[in-house]
């Protein structure tokens, strides 16, 4: 019940395309859903996050869509650039007192061709 | 740069040995979490320290242990190393109230031969 399932495993788009990464969760106690971006040799960095009382959040070219009833959320990257090539992880946290206990998805390797 | 520093960046050990990894948290953050990231996988939560006490633990055996010091820096110790312990070990700092906004270091890459 603690799992977060992420798809696809890898994604290739052309510059300007709109890659979409999907995640699904089971634990209804989760109440905060961040996305992290990780470049090779670096630690994950927070990209954008959403709470389940909001259906959509946009920051720059990154948008999270959230469907509470389906227990699904997704990341859209508008006007993707080669510099967006990285591994993206969805995550979830909630239910309890472990502030730092994020449950991560398996990751999506995004490649944006020039 | 997040301000979270980890050492060493790379190390090689043999099976059965012990290892200590170190982490300095971002200024103002009193909570440190440790994650294990196997190749091609998402990070897995090991444990978290808040005000020098363990505050939450993932599904890892007792040979994974930790410490947090008064300056909020932290150590991860792994005893009796196994081949499957080969991974990137990530430290992340954060500050209450509860948030999923973690600031990760660049990790320590452990190889167990």
């Amino acid at each position: 019940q603690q799992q977060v399932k992420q798809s696809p495993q890898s994604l290739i788009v052309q510059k300007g395309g709109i890659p979409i990464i999907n995640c699904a969760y089971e634990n209804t106690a989760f109440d905060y859903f961040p996305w992290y971006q990780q470049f090779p040799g670096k630690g994950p960095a927070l990209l954008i996050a959403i709470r389940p009382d909001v259906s959509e959040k946009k920051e720059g070219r990154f948008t999270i869509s959230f469907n509470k009833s389906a227990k699904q959320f997704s990341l859209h990257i508008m006007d993707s650039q080669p510099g967006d090539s990285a591994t993206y992880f969805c995550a979830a946290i909630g239910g309890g007192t472990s502030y730092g206990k994020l449950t991560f998805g398996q990751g999506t390797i995004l490649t944006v061709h020039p | 740069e997040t301000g979270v520093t980890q050492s060493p960046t790379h190390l090689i050990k043999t099976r059965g040995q012990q290892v200590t990894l170190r982490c300095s948290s971002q200024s103002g953050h009193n909570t440190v979490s440790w994650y294990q990231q196997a190749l091609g996988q998402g990070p897995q939560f090991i444990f978290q320290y808040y005000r020098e006490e363990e505050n939450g633990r993932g599904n890892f055996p007792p040979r994974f242990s930790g410490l947090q010091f008064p300056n909020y820096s932290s150590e991860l110790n792994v005893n009796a190393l196994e081949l499957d312990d080969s991974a990137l070990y990530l430290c992340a700092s954060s500050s209450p109230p509860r948030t999923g906004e973690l600031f990760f270091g660049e990790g320590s890459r452990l190889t167990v031969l």
Side-chain angles (χ1 to χ4, degrees), chain A residues 9 14 30 40 45 48-49 54 62 65 67 69-70 80 83 85 88 97 99:
Chain A
Q9 278 190 308
Q14 293 297 123
F30 287 147
I48 185 173
V54 177
F62 300 92
S65 298
N67 186 330
S69 60
S80 59
S85 297
Y88 292 81
T97 59
Y99 298 158

Side-chain angles (χ1 to χ4, degrees), chain A residues 52-107:
Chain A
D53 54 347
V54 177
S55 62
E56 185 175 280
K57 183 174 181 180
K58 183 176 181 179
E59 288 185 4
R61 296 185 294 108
F62 300 92
T63 299
I64 301 177
S65 298
F66 192 89
N67 186 330
K68 187 176 180 179
S69 60
K71 291 186 286 186
Q72 294 176 348
F73 58 111
S74 60
L75 176 70
H76 297 62
I77 305 175
M78 310 301 289
D79 187 28
S80 59
Q81 302 295 313
D84 296 329
S85 297
T87 301
Y88 292 81
F89 294 96
C90 62
I93 190 171
T97 59
S98 293
Y99 298 158
K101 185 179 180 180
L102 278 171
T103 299
F104 283 86
Q106 298 92 325

Side-chain angles (χ1 to χ4, degrees), chain B residues 6-99:
Chain B
Q6 293 187 241
S7 63
T9 55
H10 296 82
L11 69 166
I12 299 173
K13 293 285 187 178
T14 56
R15 196 171 50 182
Q17 285 189 312
Q18 178 266 344
V19 68
T20 297
L21 308 178
R22 295 177 175 84
C23 171
S24 294
S25 62
Q26 182 164 310
S27 177
H29 286 178
N30 56 15
T31 304
V32 172
S33 305
W34 286 91
Y35 287 78
Q36 180 195 65
Q37 186 176 21
L39 201 61
Q41 301 294 318
Q44 297 287 317
F45 176 76
I46 302 175
F47 44 54
Q48 174 185 256
Y49 279 84
Y50 173 60
R51 292 183 176 176
E52 302 178 56
E53 291 193 3
E54 187 178 294
N55 174 29
R57 189 178 183 93
N59 188 26
F60 282 81
R63 60 189 185 83
F64 285 78
S65 63
L67 286 172
Q68 186 180 31
F69 301 100
N71 66 353
Y72 305 132
S73 65
S74 178
E75 285 183 356
L76 165 66
N77 299 289
V78 187
N79 295 320
L81 284 167
E82 301 176 359
L83 298 179
D84 285 349
D85 295 334
S86 295
L88 180 68
Y89 288 86
L90 294 162
C91 169
S93 74
S94 59
S95 183
R98 181 176 63 78
T99 175

Side-chain angles (χ1 to χ4, degrees), chain A residues 33-51:
Chain A
F33 301 87
W35 285 86
Y36 281 80
Q37 179 189 56
Q38 186 175 28
F39 293 104
K42 302 291 186 182
L46 180 66
L47 197 59
I48 185 173
I50 197 168
R51 295 197 181 276

